């Protein structure tokens, strides 16, 4: 059966624009409700139980964040994508279990990335599981680390700013004294989480340790070679620097 979606957006032109974009870029998606405020979104979510809810954050009366908070009871399997003109709500949005956070105006490329993210995670990630896990973690009674789903996003410091970084955008992590440097195509930020703790929560299918001080996103690797000393060297798709691979980890790249 096709996936079903709800759109909640108080500005009519923007709502129609998103409907049109989804029709072009994701024709298999079935739109079951269009809402112009948070109250009607809650009613339709309870009735329709869609797979996905595209929620504006600032709406008359009940905000999109408040709608998302109600999903655990109203429609626990619904995954949320926030669509907003304001980037300051990103951390609150992801704390409510959002699958993605789109800034208006939404480009076709960005919406396609959201579609792919939802489709890739749909079999293993459901909103009710995510909400329950976060609640248990806050109570100190969450499941064992090995049973938790891999991280989808992290927050890191860049000067005085706290940035929300999707794990898909991370190229590599590098141990940096008491901190860990997070490297993306756009630049570098700092985490307080040690490298060894990151290994326990990152998706092992994509993130591999290649050196005692380096974890790399395998999707960001363009090629591997050996230098004059026989050490492994990784070339990256979106960064000019290369990464050293310690001998014990060279087995990861035998098929490349």
């Amino acid at each position: 059966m096709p996936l079903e979606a709800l759109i909640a957006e108080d500005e009519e032109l923007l709502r129609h624009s998103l409907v049109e974009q989804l029709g072009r870029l994701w024709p298999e998606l079935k739109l079951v409700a269009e809402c112009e405020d948070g109250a009607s979104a809650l009613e339709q979510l309870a009735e329709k139980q869609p797979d996905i809810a595209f929620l504006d954050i600032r709406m008359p009366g009940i905000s999109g964040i408040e709608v998302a908070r109600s999903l655990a009871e109203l429609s626990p399997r619904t995954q949320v994508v926030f669509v907003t003109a304001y980037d300051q709500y990103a951390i609150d949005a992801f704390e409510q279990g959002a699958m993605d956070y789109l800034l208006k105006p939404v480009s076709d490329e960005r919406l396609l990335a959201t579609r792919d993210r939802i489709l890739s995670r749909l079999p293993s990630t459901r909103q009710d599981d995510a909400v329950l896990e976060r609640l248990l973690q806050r109570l100190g009674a969450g499941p064992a680390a090995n049973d938790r789903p891999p991280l989808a996003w992290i927050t890191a410091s860049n000067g005085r700013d706290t940035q929300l970084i999707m794990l898909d955008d991370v190229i590599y992590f590098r141990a940096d004294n008491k901190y860990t440097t997070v490297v993306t195509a756009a630049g570098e930020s700092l985490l307080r989480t040690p490298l060894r703790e990151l290994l326990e929560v990152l998706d092992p299918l994509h993130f591999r340790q290649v050196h005692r001080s380096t974890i790399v996103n395998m999707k960001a690797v363009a090629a591997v070679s050996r230098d004059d000393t026989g050490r492994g060297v990784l070339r990256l798709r979106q960064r000019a620097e290369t990464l050293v691979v310690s001998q014990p980890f060279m087995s990861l790249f035998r098929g490349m």
Side-chain angles (χ1 to χ4, degrees), residues 154-157 173 178-182 189-194 198:
I154 56 174
T155 55
S157 300
F173 296 94
K178 296 180 180 180
Y179 299 93
T180 297
T181 298
V182 186
S189 303
L190 287 179
L191 277 176
R192 294 184 181 274
T193 306
L198 278 173

Side-chain angles (χ1 to χ4, degrees), residues 83-126:
V83 187
T84 179
Y86 308 96
D87 60 4
Q88 67 265 35
Y89 298 107
I91 293 177
D92 287 342
F94 279 95
E95 284 182 347
Q96 299 308 317
M99 177 63 70
D100 211 339
Y101 188 95
L102 302 177
L103 289 175
K104 303 173 186 176
V106 182
S107 68
D108 284 359
E109 181 181 12
R110 188 66 183 83
L111 191 56
L112 283 171
T114 297
R115 179 200 66 183
D116 293 343
R117 179 172 291 131
I118 291 172
L119 291 176
S120 68
R121 296 177 183 173
L122 192 65
S124 59
T125 303
R126 284 298 187 183

